[in-house]
């Protein structure tokens, strides 16, 4: 039986109201009276590939994923970059972007399964990864045919010292292993059904409260132009890179790495729920603002930051077919956030619906979840 919710104890008070109350009233629900005064956030800005710090040592380590895919993970010295030794978080200064969090791998694996199940396609889509760090989910979107992928992190230093290098290393690795297609028709499809993909890649730093001011897709800029400037890559993908085989019929349950999903019944439920919305949108949208798919991992850890994160999503997502994938822990003890707190906030707003795609529980640590949000 599901335990009573904290919000059920407060009749008539929405989650959003509760979050605002927690921020405004330091004595609410027994929270300590003294709230730390945070420094002002860094200015929001676009960071260009040419600004990558060449002097920073970034060691690339392989990460083997299911399905035979291998991505590269950059490892840097956080103390030399941000002077934050032995700390995953320094509020107002550093938000953990130099560390690869476990939910990031969960998200990449889940995105792969969503494609395999016919619930998701990145082909021709515009993608934003919030709180990107290493940028592995965004890199995965590039490899699966996204037309543009934008990476956002709180710290410009994370982008210059880690993200840009990690993206370039992974895409160079992918480019070296792809089959070249010499004959391509005007619509980008060759005789053997390979597809030419030129992802438009940009990097943005700043706080969620105002970073939308510099995001080119939000301000209807030239995203997706494929002009191959500032480190954009041209790739030629064959069909096997863009499609993943469906599981064999009769495979009613798939279990892997703590993930449990029901086969055909679960797929049907998701189709009926409308969570396949991104597939109903057309891709010829270069003059329209907004992202088709937003990805984020471990961004819902702080209760105080949830309202501005959700407001940013509403400014960035493209209605009515945009979708958001959120990977995180069910509860973040000590800071009050979690996937369930974020879900309550979104559902109370009434604009978007939620669907639990996967959960990971090993019995010895916090439950990790992947949620998909889509317009009602």
């Amino acid at each position: 039986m599901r335990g009573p919710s904290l919000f059920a104890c407060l009749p008539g008070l929405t989650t959003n109201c509760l979050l605002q109350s927690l921020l405004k009233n330091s004595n609410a629900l027994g929270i300590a009276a003294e709230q730390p005064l945070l420094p002002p956030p860094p200015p929001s800005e676009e960071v260009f590939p040419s600004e990558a710090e060449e002097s920073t040592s970034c060691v690339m380590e392989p990460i083997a994923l299911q399905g035979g895919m291998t991505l590269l993970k950059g490892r840097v010295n956080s103390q030399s970059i941000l002077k934050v030794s032995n700390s995953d978080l320094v509020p107002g200064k550093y938000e953990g972007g130099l560390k690869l969090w476990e939910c990031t791998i969960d998200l990449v694996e889940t995105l792969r399964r969503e494609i395999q199940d016919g619930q998701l396609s990145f082909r021709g889509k515009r993608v934003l990864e919030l709180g990107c760090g290493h940028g592995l989910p965004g890199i995965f979107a590039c490899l699966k045919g996204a037309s543009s992928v934008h990476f956002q992190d709180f710290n410009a230093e994370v982008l210059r010292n880690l993200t840009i290098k990690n993206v370039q290393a992974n895409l160079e690795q992918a480019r070296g292993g792809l089959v070249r297609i010499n004959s391509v028709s005007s619509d980008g499809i060759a005789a053997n059904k390979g597809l030419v993909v030129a992802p438009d890649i940009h990097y943005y730093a700043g706080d969620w409260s105002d970073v939308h001011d510099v995001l080119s897709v939000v301000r209807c800029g030239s995203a997706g132009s494929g002009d191959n400037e500032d480190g954009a890559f041209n790739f030629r993908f064959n069909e096997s890179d863009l499609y993943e085989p469906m599981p064999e019929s009769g495979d009613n349950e798939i279990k892997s790495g703590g993930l449990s999903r029901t086969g055909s019944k679960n797929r049907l439920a998701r189709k009926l729920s409308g969570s396949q919305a991104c597939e109903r949108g057309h891709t010829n949208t270069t003059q329209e603002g907004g992202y088709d798919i937003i990805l984020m991992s471990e961004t819902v850890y702080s209760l105080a930051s949830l309202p501005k994160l959700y407001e940013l999503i509403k400014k960035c997502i493209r209605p009515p077919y945009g979708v958001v994938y959120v990977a995180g822990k069910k509860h973040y003890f000590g800071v009050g956030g979690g996937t369930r707190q974020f879900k309550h906030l979104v559902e109370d707003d009434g604009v978007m619906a939620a669907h639990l795609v996967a959960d990971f529980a090993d019995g010895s640590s916090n439950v990790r979840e992947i949620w998909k949000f889509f317009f009602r």
Side-chain angles (χ1 to χ4, degrees):
M1 178 179 293
R2 184 177 177 181
S5 169
L6 167 64
F7 308 106
C9 303
L10 301 171
L13 184 61
T14 67
T15 307
N16 192 32
C17 291
L18 178 58
L19 292 172
Q20 296 299 331
S21 298
L22 288 171
L23 298 178
K24 294 179 180 178
N25 185 355
S26 59
N27 293 318
L29 300 181
I31 295 178
E34 292 297 328
Q35 295 291 333
L37 182 62
L38 300 180
S44 294
E45 59 179 320
E46 180 171 2
V47 177
F48 298 96
S50 58
E51 300 177 39
E53 292 289 348
E54 297 297 333
S55 60
T56 303
S57 174
C58 186
V59 179
M60 294 296 165
E61 302 172 343
I63 299 178
L65 303 174
Q66 296 177 17
M69 175 177 286
T70 298
L71 295 180
L72 298 176
K73 164 194 174 296
R75 180 166 54 85
V76 297
N77 188 319
S78 59
Q79 183 176 12
S80 64
I81 296 173
L82 287 166
K83 308 296 186 292
V84 288
S85 60
N86 301 320
S87 178
D88 293 335
L89 174 66
V90 180
K93 180 179 179 181
Y94 169 63
E95 299 292 333
L98 297 174
K99 178 177 177 179
L100 180 62
W101 300 88
E102 56 188 345
C103 287
T104 301
I105 303 299
D106 295 342
L107 178 56
V108 175
E109 296 281 15
T110 300
L111 294 173
R112 184 186 67 81
R113 291 187 177 94
E114 285 279 277
I115 295 173
Q116 179 178 323
D117 288 352
Q119 300 297 316
L120 174 67
S121 172
F122 285 106
R123 287 174 292 150
K125 300 300 193 301
R126 297 184 298 194
V127 180
L128 171 65
E129 184 182 353
L130 294 174
C132 61
H134 288 75
L136 295 186
I139 291 168
F140 181 81
C142 289
L143 300 180
K144 294 300 178 181
S147 64
S148 61
V149 180
H150 294 177
F151 297 87
Q152 179 275 334
D153 198 272
F154 181 79
N155 298 105
E157 294 87 350
V158 170
L159 298 174
R160 295 188 183 108
N161 291 275
L162 177 63
T163 313
I164 294 173
K165 296 179 179 181
N166 211 54
V167 171
Q168 291 180 343
N170 276 280
L171 298 188
E172 288 284 6
Q173 172 182 259
R175 182 170 59 182
L178 293 178
V179 176
R180 296 293 177 179
I181 303 173
N182 296 321
S183 177
V184 181
S185 62
S186 59
D187 60 0
I189 302 179
N192 63 354
K193 296 185 179 180
L195 186 65
V196 174
V197 178
D200 179 55
I201 300 173
H202 289 268
Y203 306 88
Y204 300 96
D207 187 70
W208 291 328
S209 61
D210 59 11
V211 74
H212 63 275
D213 290 333
V214 299
L215 292 173
S216 61
V217 167
V218 173
R219 54 186 171 88
C220 299
S222 58
S225 61
D227 55 10
N228 201 33
E229 294 180 359
D230 288 323
F233 291 83
N234 287 312
F235 293 103
R236 300 176 187 269
F237 292 85
N238 58 36
E239 190 174 33
S240 63
D241 292 310
L242 300 175
Y243 298 89
E244 299 200 35
M246 294 291 290
E248 295 181 2
S249 59
D251 184 12
N252 293 324
E253 188 171 6
I254 304 172
K255 293 184 178 180
S256 178
L259 170 65
S260 177
R261 301 177 297 128
T262 303
S264 57
K265 290 183 179 180
N266 196 35
R267 289 196 294 273
L268 178 60
R270 276 184 269 175
K271 289 178 181 178
L272 293 176
S273 73
S275 61
Q276 206 176 5
C278 68
E279 280 306 286
R280 297 199 294 268
H282 61 82
T283 58
N284 185 20
T285 58
T286 56
Q287 300 303 316
E288 300 178 20
Y291 294 91
D292 302 295
I293 303 170
I294 295 178
L295 308 173
M296 53 186 186
S297 173
E298 304 271 13
T299 57
V300 295
Y301 57 86
S302 171
L303 184 67
S305 68
L306 296 187
K308 64 180 178 180
L309 173 60
Y310 180 49
E311 288 302 316
L312 174 61
I313 288 172
K314 289 197 291 183
K315 289 183 175 76
C316 292
I317 196 68
R318 176 187 163 226
Y321 303 115
V323 293
V324 183
Y325 283 88
V326 179
K329 296 180 176 65
K330 189 173 182 179
H331 301 291
Y332 288 88
F333 301 104
V335 284
T339 54
R340 296 307 174 97
Q341 302 281 25
F342 185 72
K343 171 180 175 288
H344 287 310
L345 174 63
V346 173
E347 290 186 329
D348 281 350
D349 186 50
V351 175
M352 305 185 79
H355 170 72
L356 179 62
V357 181
D359 57 19
F360 301 78
D362 56 18
S364 61
S365 61
N366 200 342
V367 175
R368 310 189 305 275
E369 298 181 329
I370 312 291
W371 284 87
K372 180 192 289 186
F373 297 90
F374 49 93
F375 287 96
R376 292 185 182 275

